Amino acid sequence: MEQKDVYILAIESSCDETAAAVVKNGREVLSNVISSQIALHTLYGGVVPEIASRKHIEKINQVIEQALEEAKVTFDNIDAIAVTYGPGLVGALLVGVSAAKALSFALKKPLIGVHHIEGHISANYIENKELKPPFICLVVSGGHSHLVKVKDYGEYEILGRTRDDAAGEAFDKVARAIGLGYPGGPKIDKVSREGNPDAIRFPRAKVGESEYDFSFSGLKSAVLNYLNSCQMKGEEVNQADVAASFQKAVVDVLVDHSVNAVKKYGFSTFAIAGGVASNSHLREALEVACKENGIDFYHPSPVYCTDNAAMIGVAAYYEYIKGVRHGYDLNAVPNLKLGERI
Ligand code: KG4
Ligand code: ZN
C-alpha cells in the first residue's frame, strides 16, 4: 500500500532567530523561513533575552504564514505541528511553544516537541539523502559542543562535551576582544583568511582522562593574555593573525577529537552540525582529515547549520512515525538534556 505523504509545520524560536518551515516526509524542505534578530542584538554586543522574546512575539505569526505560503500548502495539508522546546532561552522558547500549542489545539493536529540539538544533527538528513544512523556527529553551536554517537533516529549517546565554554561562545568572546563585534564566528571565519594561523601558538586543551571532552575557556584566556601583553609592551595587534591562530587552535582540537572518536568506535561515517559547523576552515580541515582516514564526511549547507526550523521538522518526522505526541502541557525546558524525553 502506498504511504501517505507527511507534512510537518515546524517552529524554532530558542535564541535569536524566529523560524518556521514546512518539511515533507522528513527529508524534503518545502519552505524554510528565518527572521534573524542579529542586527538588533548587534547594538548590545550579544543576545539580550528579553528583546529576543519580544521580537519573537512580533514575528512568529508572520513567519508561519510565510512558511505555508512558500511551501504552497495550507493548514489543512499539515499533519503535525513541531516545535523546539529546549534547550535555549526560556522566554524565547515559550513564544514558539505557545504558538505551536495554540495551532495544534485550534487545528486539532498532533503536537511534537523537539530537542534543539537533535534538530541540528537532523539537518544533515536534508541534503544527504543516503545518510542514515548510525554515525558520529560533532555538534558545535553557540551553546553546545558535543561529540555524539547517533545510534538511530532519535537515539543518542554523548561521547564528549565541553567542560566550560561552547566552541561558538569562544568564537564570540574572542571576536569581541579583538574588536570584531557580534556575531563573532562568521567574522573570525572571514578575517582569518587574511591572517597567518601559525603566527601565535595558542594552547590546545586536553581535559584530564576524558578523551573526547573539550575545554575552550583556557584558550580564550590565552588570547586575552596575549592581547594584554601586546598592550603593555606597546606592540600593535595583528587582528587577522590573532583570529587565524585562535581559529586554528579550535579547529585542531575539534578535528583531532572527532577523528579519534570515529576510529575508536569503529565508524566510517561522520557528520557535523550547529552554527560553528558552517566555519569554512573547520569544514576544510575535516574534509582533509576524513579523506586521509577513509571516513565519509557529511555536513549541512551553512543555512542549515545555523538555527532554522527545517531541521526541527526533520527531527520531528522521525518522532512522528514512531508515534511520539506531546500534550498541551508541553513546556519550554531551557536546560533540556540531549536524548532526554519530557
Ligand atoms: O547553532 P547556532 O545558530 O545557535 C545555537 O544553537 O547556539 O550557533 C550560533 C553560533 C554562534 O556562536 C556563532 O558565532 C557561531 O555559531 N558561528 C560560527 C560561524 N557561523 C556561526 N562560528 C564559526 N564560524 C562560522 N562561520
Ligand atoms: Zn542552534
Side-chain angles (χ1 to χ4, degrees):
M1 198 179 78
E2 205 174 300
Q3 291 251 299
K4 183 194 164 299
D5 289 328
V6 175
Y7 292 82
I8 294 185
L9 170 65
I11 298 170
E12 154 66 43
S13 70
S14 65
C15 189
D16 58 349
E17 331 276 354
T18 323
V22 177
V23 177
K24 182 179 168 187
N25 297 332
R27 298 238 177 185
E28 196 182 331
V29 177
L30 302 185
S31 64
N32 184 34
V33 180
I34 304 167
S35 169
S36 172
Q37 305 178 359
I38 284 180
L40 190 63
H41 297 291
T42 299
L43 295 172
Y44 307 94
V47 178
V48 183
E50 183 64 17
I51 295 177
S53 318
R54 284 164 191 258
K55 205 69 195 168
H56 285 312
I57 294 174
E58 247 175 74
K59 290 285 175 187
I60 191 109
N61 288 336
Q62 246 170 287
V63 163
I64 292 169
E65 254 174 52
Q66 200 183 330
L68 293 172
E69 221 174 271
E70 286 182 17
K72 298 191 174 52
V73 297
T74 66
F75 281 129
D76 287 344
N77 306 110
I78 299 295
D79 295 285
I81 314 287
V83 65
T84 305
Y85 73 111
L89 302 169
V90 68
L93 287 165
L94 269 174
V95 178
V97 169
S98 307
K101 286 201 282 193
L103 283 174
S104 160
F105 180 74
L107 302 167
K108 300 186 177 62
K109 310 265 184 190
L111 175 69
I112 302 168
V114 174
H115 190 292
H116 183 74
I117 299 301
E118 296 191 20
H120 274 301
I121 295 170
S122 304
N124 279 287
Y125 301 133
I126 299 170
E127 295 153 300
N128 304 304
K129 306 293 178 204
E130 73 282 15
L131 178 65
K132 290 188 179 80
F135 57 91
I136 302 278
C137 188
L138 171 71
V139 188
V140 270
S141 70
H144 300 267
S145 302
H146 283 337
L147 249 179
V148 180
K149 191 198 279 185
V150 183
K151 297 198 277 193
D152 201 343
Y153 295 106
E155 272 187 50
Y156 307 91
E157 182 186 331
I158 298 175
L159 306 177
R161 67 183 73 213
T162 182
R163 294 291 184 92
D164 37 59
D165 292 351
E169 206 177 338
F171 269 94
D172 294 336
K173 286 177 178 169
V174 167
R176 199 176 305 149
I178 59 174
L180 285 172
Y182 168 87
K187 291 190 172 163
I188 289 190
D189 193 348
K190 193 159 167 238
V191 86
S192 291
R193 294 253 161 241
E194 277 112 57
N196 172 9
D198 300 313
I200 310 141
R201 176 76 197 174
F202 289 127
R204 275 79 174 144
K206 287 251 178 303
V207 185
E209 65 290 351
S210 181
E211 228 182 313
Y212 305 115
D213 280 358
F214 304 101
S215 165
F216 295 110
S217 77
L219 170 60
K220 177 196 67 193
S221 304
V223 175
L224 296 178
N225 289 342
Y226 173 80
L227 296 175
N228 279 338
S229 80
C230 287
Q231 201 185 17
M232 276 172 16
K233 287 188 246 163
E235 285 172 9
E236 211 178 301
V237 171
N238 183 322
Q239 196 188 43
D241 281 354
V242 178
S245 301
F246 157 77
Q247 182 174 260
K248 181 143 190 260
V250 177
V251 167
D252 280 356
V253 171
L254 294 177
V255 172
D256 198 56
H257 282 33
S258 301
V259 171
N260 287 348
V262 176
K263 288 191 349 199
K264 159 103 179 274
Y265 286 90
F267 279 72
S268 58
T269 310
F270 171 69
I272 52 173
V276 183
S278 61
N279 183 271
S280 57
H281 305 258
L282 176 64
R283 291 158 87 101
E284 283 161 21
L286 282 169
E287 200 86 60
V288 172
C290 286
K291 205 169 194 175
E292 277 172 12
N293 288 283
I295 300 165
D296 293 326
F297 173 45
Y298 291 93
H299 53 76
S301 292
V303 67
Y304 295 125
C305 285
T306 43
D307 287 350
N308 66 87
M311 65 185 197
I312 303 304
V314 176
Y317 171 78
Y318 291 100
E319 298 289 286
Y320 178 86
I321 56 176
K322 272 191 234 163
V324 173
R325 305 289 184 265
H326 280 96
Y328 299 128
D329 57 351
L330 180 71
N331 205 350
V333 185
N335 55 0
L336 186 64
K337 303 281 173 295
L338 186 66
E340 189 180 12
R341 295 283 184 274
I342 289 180

